Amino acid sequence: MFSGAQISLYPMADDFVRIILGSLSALDPYRSRFRIETDDLSTLLVGPPEELFPAMRDLHVAASRNNIHCVLHATVSRGCPGEPDDPICTPIEGREHGAPLATRIDAALAAAQGAPVLNQNVAAQLSLYPLGAGHHMDEIYGCIDFLKRSGVFGKSKNFCTTLRGDAGPVFATLGEAFLRFGSPEGHLALDLTVSANSPTAI
Amino acid sequence: MFSGAQISLYPMADDFVRIILGSLSALDPYRSRFRIETDDLSTLLVGPPEELFPAMRDLHVAASRNNIHCVLHATVSRGCPGEPDDPICTPIEGREHGAPLATRIDAALAAAQGAPVLNQNVAAQLSLYPLGAGHHMDEIYGCIDFLKRSGVFGKSKNFCTTLRGDAGPVFATLGEAFLRFGSPEGHLALDLTVSANSPTAI
């Protein structure tokens, strides 16, 4: 199964180039397990689905240091039938995708509970797109139910759901949304925005 | 049919608040036909699907004035079964959604040709998600074929396609991608990033 993300950092500051370049070392612990390619619009990460959200979290927290208002956007995908399988993307293991929604929600809640606290507050919004399945709204509603019980739920908005809290539990919750919903080998995409240090944060 | 977008502007500058607030008057010509709600993460536009992309174009061009590196991100959606129909969102008319893909591609190419030139170069990347349909990849490949022949095609990347050129034809092409692909009353989402004045633009 192919899995990865196109990610972008938007530091709202004149010295955005220095801030972005200064944050990249946060990806060093992950580099050996990812294929990484950058252009002027985004950086591609291809690798194990379980490591995508920790890598994005560490990058975003690094770029948001010193109270910089910084947004990370990511287009995250797994199982796209238009992509070749890549050995670098290991299958999702031990997550019982065949289990009923209620069981998967409980498992996601339990898994996200162990998240580290990183002392960086963030607000996030996500849209989950299970593709090619007849019952995509069931999986979306199941995921929203999980998000509402996650402890970092913000609110429901048109087209997306928001989360608020420390970057540790927020990114852990986002990762569980990506890993536990949609069919196990199916095509799933996630449109993600995470914001730190907004002057209009609520 | 419900249609709209969650949009965000990211000016990479210390005075991002002033730049964002200064660009909002670009939405004035559209306000009477849209419902608009803002929070710290994004601004919701709900209204006629044909006007979403011209409104986003004018907003982004306004925020990118004076060579500011500014990114617009949008989560665009139509036909979401989780949203009530809204009279403010008129149906897409005269677009022959039942027509074969090849006919729709030709119609999209013809429609995008009349786009104004705005003298603002942009780079964009988009992911199209036709939801709840068994043949979502056919619609995606048809849309990519259209993009490749649009005159503003950039390149194919994992999970998305890039466009490059003047904001006029680029946003017109994006609008046609949103309006002509996927089933006529079906659920379609589009994940969109548009960047102006990047110092690393290629």
CSV table of all heavy atoms in Angstrom, one decimal, chain A residues 4 6 10-14 39-42 44 73 75 77 82-83 125 129 132 136 141 155 157-159 164 187 189 191 200, chain B residues 4 6 10-14 39-42 44 73 75 82-83 125 129 132 136 141 155 157-159 164 187 189 191 193 200:
chain,number,residue,atom,x,y,z
A,4,GLY,N,1.5,8.4,2.1
A,4,GLY,CA,2.3,9.6,2.2
A,4,GLY,C,1.5,10.9,2.3
A,4,GLY,O,0.3,10.8,2.5
A,6,GLN,N,1.6,15.3,1.0
A,6,GLN,CA,2.3,16.5,0.5
A,6,GLN,C,2.1,17.6,1.6
A,6,GLN,O,0.9,17.9,1.9
A,6,GLN,CB,1.6,17.0,-0.8
A,6,GLN,CG,1.8,16.1,-2.0
A,6,GLN,CD,3.1,16.3,-2.7
A,6,GLN,OE1,4.0,17.1,-2.2
A,6,GLN,NE2,3.3,15.5,-3.7
A,10,TYR,N,3.6,27.3,6.5
A,10,TYR,CA,3.4,28.7,6.2
A,10,TYR,C,3.6,29.6,7.5
A,10,TYR,O,2.7,29.8,8.2
A,10,TYR,CB,1.9,28.9,5.7
A,10,TYR,CG,1.5,28.1,4.5
A,10,TYR,CD1,0.4,27.2,4.6
A,10,TYR,CD2,2.3,28.1,3.4
A,10,TYR,CE1,0.1,26.4,3.5
A,10,TYR,CE2,1.9,27.3,2.3
A,10,TYR,CZ,0.8,26.5,2.4
A,10,TYR,OH,0.5,25.7,1.3
A,11,PRO,N,4.9,30.0,7.7
A,11,PRO,CA,5.1,30.9,8.8
A,11,PRO,C,4.7,32.3,8.4
A,11,PRO,O,5.2,32.8,7.4
A,11,PRO,CB,6.6,30.8,9.0
A,11,PRO,CG,7.1,29.7,8.1
A,11,PRO,CD,6.1,29.6,7.0
A,12,MET,N,3.8,32.9,9.2
A,12,MET,CA,3.4,34.3,8.8
A,12,MET,C,4.4,35.3,9.4
A,12,MET,O,4.2,35.9,10.4
A,12,MET,CB,2.0,34.5,9.4
A,12,MET,CG,0.9,34.4,8.3
A,12,MET,SD,0.8,32.8,7.6
A,12,MET,CE,-0.1,31.8,8.8
A,13,ALA,N,5.6,35.4,8.7
A,13,ALA,CA,6.7,36.2,9.2
A,13,ALA,C,7.5,36.6,8.0
A,13,ALA,O,7.7,35.8,7.0
A,13,ALA,CB,7.5,35.5,10.2
A,14,ASP,N,8.2,37.8,8.1
A,14,ASP,CA,9.1,38.2,7.0
A,14,ASP,C,10.2,37.2,6.7
A,14,ASP,O,10.6,37.0,5.6
A,14,ASP,CB,9.7,39.6,7.3
A,14,ASP,CG,8.6,40.7,7.2
A,14,ASP,OD1,7.5,40.4,6.7
A,14,ASP,OD2,9.0,41.8,7.7
A,39,ASP,N,9.4,20.8,-3.7
A,39,ASP,CA,9.4,21.8,-4.7
A,39,ASP,C,8.8,23.1,-4.1
A,39,ASP,O,8.8,23.2,-2.8
A,39,ASP,CB,8.6,21.4,-6.0
A,39,ASP,CG,7.2,21.2,-5.8
A,39,ASP,OD1,6.6,21.7,-4.8
A,39,ASP,OD2,6.5,20.5,-6.6
A,40,ASP,N,8.5,24.1,-4.9
A,40,ASP,CA,8.1,25.4,-4.3
A,40,ASP,C,6.7,25.3,-3.7
A,40,ASP,O,6.3,26.3,-3.0
A,40,ASP,CB,8.1,26.5,-5.4
A,40,ASP,CG,7.2,26.1,-6.6
A,40,ASP,OD1,7.2,25.0,-7.0
A,40,ASP,OD2,6.5,27.1,-7.1
A,41,LEU,N,5.9,24.3,-3.9
A,41,LEU,CA,4.5,24.2,-3.4
A,41,LEU,C,4.4,23.3,-2.1
A,41,LEU,O,3.6,23.6,-1.2
A,41,LEU,CB,3.6,23.7,-4.4
A,41,LEU,CG,3.1,24.8,-5.5
A,41,LEU,CD1,2.6,24.1,-6.7
A,41,LEU,CD2,2.1,25.7,-4.9
A,42,SER,N,5.2,22.3,-2.1
A,42,SER,CA,5.0,21.3,-1.0
A,42,SER,C,6.2,20.4,-0.9
A,42,SER,O,7.0,20.3,-1.8
A,42,SER,CB,3.7,20.6,-1.1
A,42,SER,OG,3.7,19.8,-2.2
A,44,LEU,N,6.9,16.3,-0.4
A,44,LEU,CA,6.3,15.0,-0.4
A,44,LEU,C,7.1,14.1,0.7
A,44,LEU,O,8.3,14.0,0.7
A,44,LEU,CB,6.5,14.3,-1.7
A,44,LEU,CG,6.1,12.8,-1.9
A,44,LEU,CD1,4.6,12.7,-1.8
A,44,LEU,CD2,6.7,12.2,-3.2
A,73,HIS,N,-0.1,22.7,6.3
A,73,HIS,CA,-1.2,22.1,5.6
A,73,HIS,C,-0.6,20.8,5.0
A,73,HIS,O,0.5,20.7,4.5
A,73,HIS,CB,-1.7,22.9,4.4
A,73,HIS,CG,-2.8,22.2,3.7
A,73,HIS,ND1,-2.5,21.5,2.5
A,73,HIS,CD2,-4.1,22.0,4.0
A,73,HIS,CE1,-3.6,20.9,2.1
A,73,HIS,NE2,-4.6,21.2,3.0
A,75,THR,N,-1.9,17.3,2.5
A,75,THR,CA,-2.8,16.4,1.8
A,75,THR,C,-2.2,15.0,2.0
A,75,THR,O,-1.2,14.6,1.5
A,75,THR,CB,-2.7,16.7,0.3
A,75,THR,OG1,-3.2,18.1,0.1
A,75,THR,CG2,-3.6,15.8,-0.5
A,77,SER,N,-2.5,10.7,2.1
A,77,SER,CA,-3.2,9.7,1.3
A,77,SER,C,-2.7,8.3,1.6
A,77,SER,O,-1.5,8.2,1.9
A,77,SER,CB,-3.0,10.1,-0.2
A,77,SER,OG,-3.5,9.0,-1.0
A,82,GLY,N,-3.8,4.8,-8.1
A,82,GLY,CA,-3.0,5.3,-9.1
A,82,GLY,C,-1.5,5.3,-8.8
A,82,GLY,O,-0.7,5.7,-9.6
A,83,GLU,N,-1.2,4.9,-7.6
A,83,GLU,CA,0.2,4.9,-7.2
A,83,GLU,C,0.7,3.4,-7.1
A,83,GLU,O,-0.1,2.5,-6.7
A,83,GLU,CB,0.4,5.5,-5.8
A,83,GLU,CG,-0.2,6.9,-5.7
A,83,GLU,CD,0.6,8.0,-6.2
A,83,GLU,OE1,1.7,7.7,-6.7
A,83,GLU,OE2,0.2,9.1,-6.1
A,125,GLN,N,-7.9,21.6,11.6
A,125,GLN,CA,-9.2,21.2,11.0
A,125,GLN,C,-8.9,20.1,9.9
A,125,GLN,O,-7.9,20.2,9.2
A,125,GLN,CB,-10.1,22.3,10.5
A,125,GLN,CG,-9.7,23.1,9.3
A,125,GLN,CD,-10.6,24.3,9.1
A,125,GLN,OE1,-11.1,24.9,10.1
A,125,GLN,NE2,-10.7,24.8,7.9
A,129,TYR,N,-11.7,11.8,3.5
A,129,TYR,CA,-12.3,11.4,2.2
A,129,TYR,C,-12.0,9.9,2.0
A,129,TYR,O,-11.0,9.5,1.4
A,129,TYR,CB,-11.8,12.2,1.1
A,129,TYR,CG,-11.9,13.7,1.2
A,129,TYR,CD1,-10.8,14.5,1.2
A,129,TYR,CD2,-13.2,14.3,1.4
A,129,TYR,CE1,-11.0,15.9,1.3
A,129,TYR,CE2,-13.3,15.6,1.5
A,129,TYR,CZ,-12.2,16.4,1.5
A,129,TYR,OH,-12.4,17.8,1.6
A,132,GLY,N,-14.0,5.7,-3.3
A,132,GLY,CA,-14.3,4.4,-4.0
A,132,GLY,C,-15.2,3.5,-3.2
A,132,GLY,O,-15.4,2.3,-3.6
A,136,HIS,N,-19.3,5.8,2.1
A,136,HIS,CA,-18.2,6.7,2.7
A,136,HIS,C,-18.7,7.5,3.8
A,136,HIS,O,-18.0,7.9,4.7
A,136,HIS,CB,-17.6,7.6,1.5
A,136,HIS,CG,-18.5,8.7,1.0
A,136,HIS,ND1,-19.7,8.4,0.3
A,136,HIS,CD2,-18.4,10.0,1.2
A,136,HIS,CE1,-20.2,9.6,0.0
A,136,HIS,NE2,-19.5,10.6,0.5
A,141,TYR,N,-18.9,9.6,9.4
A,141,TYR,CA,-19.7,9.8,10.7
A,141,TYR,C,-19.0,9.1,11.8
A,141,TYR,O,-18.9,9.6,13.0
A,141,TYR,CB,-21.1,9.4,10.5
A,141,TYR,CG,-21.9,10.4,9.7
A,141,TYR,CD1,-22.8,9.9,8.7
A,141,TYR,CD2,-21.8,11.8,9.8
A,141,TYR,CE1,-23.5,10.8,7.9
A,141,TYR,CE2,-22.5,12.6,9.0
A,141,TYR,CZ,-23.4,12.1,8.0
A,141,TYR,OH,-24.1,13.0,7.2
A,155,LYS,N,-15.0,21.9,17.1
A,155,LYS,CA,-16.4,22.0,16.7
A,155,LYS,C,-16.6,21.4,15.3
A,155,LYS,O,-15.6,21.1,14.6
A,155,LYS,CB,-16.9,23.4,16.7
A,155,LYS,CG,-16.1,24.3,15.7
A,155,LYS,CD,-16.7,25.8,15.7
A,155,LYS,CE,-15.9,26.7,14.8
A,155,LYS,NZ,-16.5,28.0,14.6
A,157,LYS,N,-17.7,22.0,11.6
A,157,LYS,CA,-17.9,23.1,10.6
A,157,LYS,C,-18.4,22.5,9.3
A,157,LYS,O,-18.3,21.2,9.1
A,157,LYS,CB,-16.6,23.8,10.4
A,157,LYS,CG,-16.2,24.6,11.6
A,157,LYS,CD,-14.7,25.1,11.5
A,157,LYS,CE,-14.5,26.1,10.3
A,157,LYS,NZ,-13.2,26.7,10.4
A,158,ASN,N,-18.9,23.3,8.4
A,158,ASN,CA,-19.2,22.8,7.1
A,158,ASN,C,-17.9,22.3,6.4
A,158,ASN,O,-16.8,22.9,6.4
A,158,ASN,CB,-19.7,23.9,6.2
A,158,ASN,CG,-21.0,24.4,6.6
A,158,ASN,OD1,-21.1,25.5,7.3
A,158,ASN,ND2,-22.1,23.7,6.4
A,159,PHE,N,-17.9,21.0,5.9
A,159,PHE,CA,-16.8,20.4,5.2
A,159,PHE,C,-15.7,19.9,6.0
A,159,PHE,O,-14.8,19.3,5.5
A,159,PHE,CB,-16.3,21.3,4.1
A,159,PHE,CG,-17.3,22.1,3.3
A,159,PHE,CD1,-17.1,23.4,3.1
A,159,PHE,CD2,-18.5,21.5,2.9
A,159,PHE,CE1,-18.1,24.2,2.4
A,159,PHE,CE2,-19.4,22.2,2.2
A,159,PHE,CZ,-19.2,23.6,1.9
A,164,ARG,N,-8.7,21.1,19.0
A,164,ARG,CA,-8.0,22.1,19.7
A,164,ARG,C,-7.3,21.5,20.9
A,164,ARG,O,-7.9,20.7,21.6
A,164,ARG,CB,-8.8,23.3,20.2
A,164,ARG,CG,-9.3,24.2,19.1
A,164,ARG,CD,-10.2,25.4,19.6
A,164,ARG,NE,-10.8,25.9,18.4
A,164,ARG,CZ,-10.2,26.8,17.6
A,164,ARG,NH1,-9.0,27.3,17.9
A,164,ARG,NH2,-10.8,27.3,16.5
A,187,HIS,N,-8.7,3.4,-0.6
A,187,HIS,CA,-8.1,4.7,-0.9
A,187,HIS,C,-8.7,5.7,0.0
A,187,HIS,O,-9.9,5.9,0.1
A,187,HIS,CB,-8.5,5.0,-2.4
A,187,HIS,CG,-7.8,6.3,-2.9
A,187,HIS,ND1,-8.1,6.8,-4.1
A,187,HIS,CD2,-6.9,7.1,-2.4
A,187,HIS,CE1,-7.4,7.9,-4.3
A,187,HIS,NE2,-6.7,8.1,-3.3
A,189,ALA,N,-8.1,9.7,1.7
A,189,ALA,CA,-7.3,11.0,1.7
A,189,ALA,C,-7.8,11.8,2.8
A,189,ALA,O,-8.9,11.7,3.3
A,189,ALA,CB,-7.5,11.7,0.4
A,191,ASP,N,-7.5,15.9,4.3
A,191,ASP,CA,-7.1,17.3,4.0
A,191,ASP,C,-6.9,17.9,5.4
A,191,ASP,O,-7.9,18.0,6.1
A,191,ASP,CB,-8.2,17.9,3.2
A,191,ASP,CG,-8.0,19.4,2.9
A,191,ASP,OD1,-7.0,20.0,3.2
A,191,ASP,OD2,-8.9,20.0,2.2
A,200,THR,N,-5.8,35.4,16.5
A,200,THR,CA,-7.2,35.3,16.7
A,200,THR,C,-7.7,34.0,17.2
A,200,THR,O,-8.9,33.7,17.1
A,200,THR,CB,-7.9,35.6,15.3
A,200,THR,OG1,-7.3,34.8,14.3
A,200,THR,CG2,-7.8,37.1,14.9
B,4,GLY,N,-19.8,25.1,-1.4
B,4,GLY,CA,-19.0,26.1,-0.7
B,4,GLY,C,-17.6,25.7,-0.5
B,4,GLY,O,-17.1,24.7,-1.1
B,6,GLN,N,-14.1,26.2,2.5
B,6,GLN,CA,-13.4,26.8,3.6
B,6,GLN,C,-12.1,27.3,3.1
B,6,GLN,O,-11.3,26.5,2.6
B,6,GLN,CB,-13.2,25.7,4.7
B,6,GLN,CG,-14.4,25.2,5.4
B,6,GLN,CD,-15.0,26.1,6.5
B,6,GLN,OE1,-14.5,27.2,6.7
B,6,GLN,NE2,-16.1,25.7,7.1
B,10,TYR,N,-2.6,32.8,3.7
B,10,TYR,CA,-1.4,32.8,4.4
B,10,TYR,C,-0.4,33.7,3.8
B,10,TYR,O,0.4,33.3,3.0
B,10,TYR,CB,-0.8,31.4,4.5
B,10,TYR,CG,-1.8,30.3,5.0
B,10,TYR,CD1,-2.2,29.2,4.2
B,10,TYR,CD2,-2.4,30.4,6.2
B,10,TYR,CE1,-3.1,28.3,4.7
B,10,TYR,CE2,-3.3,29.5,6.7
B,10,TYR,CZ,-3.6,28.4,5.9
B,10,TYR,OH,-4.5,27.5,6.3
B,11,PRO,N,-0.4,35.0,4.2
B,11,PRO,CA,0.7,35.9,3.7
B,11,PRO,C,1.9,35.7,4.6
B,11,PRO,O,1.9,35.8,5.8
B,11,PRO,CB,0.1,37.3,4.0
B,11,PRO,CG,-1.3,37.1,4.5
B,11,PRO,CD,-1.4,35.7,5.0
B,12,MET,N,3.0,35.4,3.9
B,12,MET,CA,4.3,35.1,4.6
B,12,MET,C,5.0,36.5,4.9
B,12,MET,O,5.9,36.9,4.3
B,12,MET,CB,5.2,34.2,3.8
B,12,MET,CG,5.1,32.7,4.3
B,12,MET,SD,3.5,31.9,4.2
B,12,MET,CE,3.4,31.5,2.5
B,13,ALA,N,4.4,37.2,5.9
B,13,ALA,CA,4.9,38.5,6.2
B,13,ALA,C,4.5,38.9,7.7
B,13,ALA,O,3.5,38.4,8.2
B,13,ALA,CB,4.3,39.6,5.3
B,14,ASP,N,5.4,39.7,8.3
B,14,ASP,CA,5.1,40.1,9.7
B,14,ASP,C,3.7,40.8,9.8
B,14,ASP,O,3.0,40.6,10.8
B,14,ASP,CB,6.1,41.1,10.2
B,14,ASP,CG,7.5,40.4,10.4
B,14,ASP,OD1,7.5,39.1,10.4
B,14,ASP,OD2,8.5,41.1,10.6
B,39,ASP,N,-13.7,32.1,11.2
B,39,ASP,CA,-13.1,31.9,12.6
B,39,ASP,C,-11.5,31.9,12.4
B,39,ASP,O,-11.1,32.4,11.4
B,39,ASP,CB,-13.6,30.6,13.2
B,39,ASP,CG,-13.1,29.3,12.5
B,39,ASP,OD1,-12.2,29.4,11.7
B,39,ASP,OD2,-13.7,28.3,12.7
B,40,ASP,N,-10.8,31.5,13.4
B,40,ASP,CA,-9.4,31.6,13.4
B,40,ASP,C,-8.7,30.7,12.4
B,40,ASP,O,-7.5,30.8,12.1
B,40,ASP,CB,-8.8,31.4,14.8
B,40,ASP,CG,-9.1,30.1,15.3
B,40,ASP,OD1,-10.2,29.6,15.2
B,40,ASP,OD2,-8.2,29.5,15.9
B,41,LEU,N,-9.4,29.7,11.9
B,41,LEU,CA,-8.8,28.7,11.0
B,41,LEU,C,-9.1,29.0,9.5
B,41,LEU,O,-8.3,28.7,8.6
B,41,LEU,CB,-9.2,27.3,11.3
B,41,LEU,CG,-8.4,26.7,12.5
B,41,LEU,CD1,-9.2,25.5,13.1
B,41,LEU,CD2,-7.0,26.3,12.1
B,42,SER,N,-10.3,29.4,9.2
B,42,SER,CA,-10.7,29.6,7.8
B,42,SER,C,-12.0,30.4,7.7
B,42,SER,O,-12.6,30.7,8.7
B,42,SER,CB,-10.9,28.2,7.1
B,42,SER,OG,-11.9,27.5,7.8
B,44,LEU,N,-15.6,30.5,5.8
B,44,LEU,CA,-16.6,29.7,5.0
B,44,LEU,C,-17.3,30.6,3.9
B,44,LEU,O,-17.8,31.6,4.3
B,44,LEU,CB,-17.7,29.1,5.9
B,44,LEU,CG,-18.8,28.4,5.3
B,44,LEU,CD1,-18.4,27.0,4.6
B,44,LEU,CD2,-20.0,28.1,6.3
B,73,HIS,N,-5.3,28.5,0.7
B,73,HIS,CA,-5.8,27.1,0.7
B,73,HIS,C,-7.3,27.1,0.8
B,73,HIS,O,-7.9,27.9,1.5
B,73,HIS,CB,-5.1,26.3,1.9
B,73,HIS,CG,-5.7,24.9,1.9
B,73,HIS,ND1,-6.7,24.5,2.6
B,73,HIS,CD2,-5.3,23.9,1.1
B,73,HIS,CE1,-7.0,23.2,2.3
B,73,HIS,NE2,-6.1,22.8,1.4
B,75,THR,N,-10.7,24.2,1.0
B,75,THR,CA,-11.4,22.9,0.9
B,75,THR,C,-12.7,23.2,0.3
B,75,THR,O,-13.6,23.8,0.9
B,75,THR,CB,-11.5,22.3,2.3
B,75,THR,OG1,-10.2,22.2,2.9
B,75,THR,CG2,-12.3,21.0,2.3
B,82,GLY,N,-24.2,15.3,3.9
B,82,GLY,CA,-24.3,15.6,5.3
B,82,GLY,C,-24.8,17.1,5.5
B,82,GLY,O,-25.0,17.5,6.6
B,83,GLU,N,-24.9,17.8,4.4
B,83,GLU,CA,-25.3,19.2,4.5
B,83,GLU,C,-26.8,19.4,3.9
B,83,GLU,O,-27.1,18.7,2.9
B,83,GLU,CB,-24.4,20.1,3.6
B,83,GLU,CG,-22.9,19.9,3.9
B,83,GLU,CD,-22.4,20.6,5.1
B,83,GLU,OE1,-23.2,21.3,5.7
B,83,GLU,OE2,-21.2,20.5,5.4
B,125,GLN,N,-1.8,23.7,-6.7
B,125,GLN,CA,-1.9,22.3,-6.8
B,125,GLN,C,-3.3,21.8,-6.2
B,125,GLN,O,-3.8,22.5,-5.3
B,125,GLN,CB,-0.8,21.5,-6.2
B,125,GLN,CG,-0.6,21.5,-4.7
B,125,GLN,CD,0.8,20.9,-4.3
B,125,GLN,OE1,1.7,20.9,-5.0
B,125,GLN,NE2,0.8,20.3,-3.1
B,129,TYR,N,-11.6,14.9,-5.3
B,129,TYR,CA,-12.1,13.7,-4.6
B,129,TYR,C,-13.6,13.5,-5.0
B,129,TYR,O,-14.5,14.0,-4.3
B,129,TYR,CB,-12.0,13.8,-3.1
B,129,TYR,CG,-10.5,14.0,-2.7
B,129,TYR,CD1,-10.2,15.2,-1.9
B,129,TYR,CD2,-9.5,13.1,-2.9
B,129,TYR,CE1,-8.9,15.4,-1.5
B,129,TYR,CE2,-8.2,13.3,-2.5
B,129,TYR,CZ,-7.9,14.5,-1.8
B,129,TYR,OH,-6.6,14.7,-1.4
B,132,GLY,N,-18.2,8.6,-3.0
B,132,GLY,CA,-19.4,7.8,-3.0
B,132,GLY,C,-19.7,7.2,-4.4
B,132,GLY,O,-20.8,6.6,-4.6
B,136,HIS,N,-14.5,6.4,-9.1
B,136,HIS,CA,-13.9,7.7,-8.9
B,136,HIS,C,-12.6,7.9,-9.6
B,136,HIS,O,-12.3,9.0,-10.0
B,136,HIS,CB,-13.7,7.9,-7.3
B,136,HIS,CG,-12.6,7.1,-6.7
B,136,HIS,ND1,-12.6,5.8,-6.6
B,136,HIS,CD2,-11.4,7.6,-6.3
B,136,HIS,CE1,-11.5,5.4,-6.0
B,136,HIS,NE2,-10.7,6.5,-5.8
B,141,TYR,N,-9.0,10.6,-13.5
B,141,TYR,CA,-8.1,10.6,-14.7
B,141,TYR,C,-8.6,11.5,-15.8
B,141,TYR,O,-7.9,12.1,-16.6
B,141,TYR,CB,-8.0,9.2,-15.2
B,141,TYR,CG,-7.1,8.3,-14.3
B,141,TYR,CD1,-7.5,7.0,-14.0
B,141,TYR,CD2,-5.9,8.7,-13.8
B,141,TYR,CE1,-6.8,6.2,-13.2
B,141,TYR,CE2,-5.2,7.9,-13.0
B,141,TYR,CZ,-5.6,6.6,-12.7
B,141,TYR,OH,-4.8,5.8,-11.8
B,155,LYS,N,2.7,20.0,-13.5
B,155,LYS,CA,3.2,18.6,-13.5
B,155,LYS,C,2.3,17.7,-12.7
B,155,LYS,O,1.5,18.2,-11.9
B,155,LYS,CB,4.7,18.5,-13.1
B,155,LYS,CG,4.9,18.9,-11.6
B,155,LYS,CD,6.3,18.7,-11.2
B,155,LYS,CE,6.5,19.1,-9.7
B,155,LYS,NZ,7.9,18.9,-9.2
B,157,LYS,N,2.1,15.2,-9.6
B,157,LYS,CA,2.8,14.8,-8.4
B,157,LYS,C,2.1,13.7,-7.7
B,157,LYS,O,0.9,13.5,-8.0
B,157,LYS,CB,3.0,16.0,-7.5
B,157,LYS,CG,3.9,17.1,-8.0
B,157,LYS,CD,3.7,18.4,-7.2
B,157,LYS,CE,4.2,18.3,-5.8
B,157,LYS,NZ,4.2,19.7,-5.1
B,158,ASN,N,2.7,13.1,-6.7
B,158,ASN,CA,1.9,12.2,-5.9
B,158,ASN,C,0.8,12.9,-5.2
B,158,ASN,O,1.0,13.9,-4.6
B,158,ASN,CB,2.8,11.5,-4.8
B,158,ASN,CG,3.9,10.7,-5.5
B,158,ASN,OD1,5.1,11.1,-5.5
B,158,ASN,ND2,3.6,9.5,-5.9
B,159,PHE,N,-0.4,12.4,-5.4
B,159,PHE,CA,-1.6,12.9,-4.7
B,159,PHE,C,-2.2,14.2,-5.2
B,159,PHE,O,-3.3,14.6,-4.7
B,159,PHE,CB,-1.4,13.1,-3.1
B,159,PHE,CG,-0.6,12.0,-2.5
B,159,PHE,CD1,0.5,12.4,-1.6
B,159,PHE,CD2,-0.8,10.7,-2.7
B,159,PHE,CE1,1.3,11.4,-1.0
B,159,PHE,CE2,-0.1,9.7,-2.1
B,159,PHE,CZ,1.0,10.1,-1.3
B,164,ARG,N,0.4,26.1,-13.4
B,164,ARG,CA,1.2,27.3,-13.4
B,164,ARG,C,0.8,28.3,-14.5
B,164,ARG,O,0.6,27.9,-15.6
B,164,ARG,CB,2.7,27.0,-13.6
B,164,ARG,CG,3.3,26.3,-12.4
B,164,ARG,CD,4.8,26.0,-12.6
B,164,ARG,NE,5.2,25.1,-11.5
B,164,ARG,CZ,5.5,25.4,-10.3
B,164,ARG,NH1,5.6,26.7,-10.0
B,164,ARG,NH2,5.8,24.5,-9.4
B,187,HIS,N,-21.3,13.9,-4.5
B,187,HIS,CA,-20.5,14.6,-3.5
B,187,HIS,C,-19.1,14.7,-4.1
B,187,HIS,O,-18.5,13.7,-4.5
B,187,HIS,CB,-20.5,13.7,-2.3
B,187,HIS,CG,-19.8,14.3,-1.1
B,187,HIS,ND1,-19.6,13.6,0.1
B,187,HIS,CD2,-19.3,15.5,-0.9
B,187,HIS,CE1,-19.0,14.4,0.9
B,187,HIS,NE2,-18.8,15.6,0.3
B,189,ALA,N,-15.3,16.8,-3.6
B,189,ALA,CA,-14.5,17.7,-2.8
B,189,ALA,C,-13.2,18.0,-3.5
B,189,ALA,O,-12.7,17.2,-4.3
B,189,ALA,CB,-14.2,17.1,-1.4
B,191,ASP,N,-9.3,19.8,-2.9
B,191,ASP,CA,-8.3,20.3,-1.9
B,191,ASP,C,-7.3,21.1,-2.8
B,191,ASP,O,-6.7,20.6,-3.7
B,191,ASP,CB,-7.6,19.1,-1.3
B,191,ASP,CG,-6.5,19.4,-0.3
B,191,ASP,OD1,-6.2,20.6,-0.1
B,191,ASP,OD2,-5.8,18.5,0.2
B,193,THR,N,-4.4,24.4,-3.2
B,193,THR,CA,-3.4,25.3,-2.7
B,193,THR,C,-3.0,26.2,-3.9
B,193,THR,O,-2.7,25.7,-5.0
B,193,THR,CB,-2.2,24.5,-2.2
B,193,THR,OG1,-2.6,23.7,-1.1
B,193,THR,CG2,-1.1,25.5,-1.7
B,200,THR,N,11.0,30.7,-4.2
B,200,THR,CA,11.6,29.5,-4.8
B,200,THR,C,10.7,29.0,-6.0
B,200,THR,O,10.8,27.9,-6.4
B,200,THR,CB,11.7,28.3,-3.8
B,200,THR,OG1,10.4,28.2,-3.1
B,200,THR,CG2,12.8,28.5,-2.8
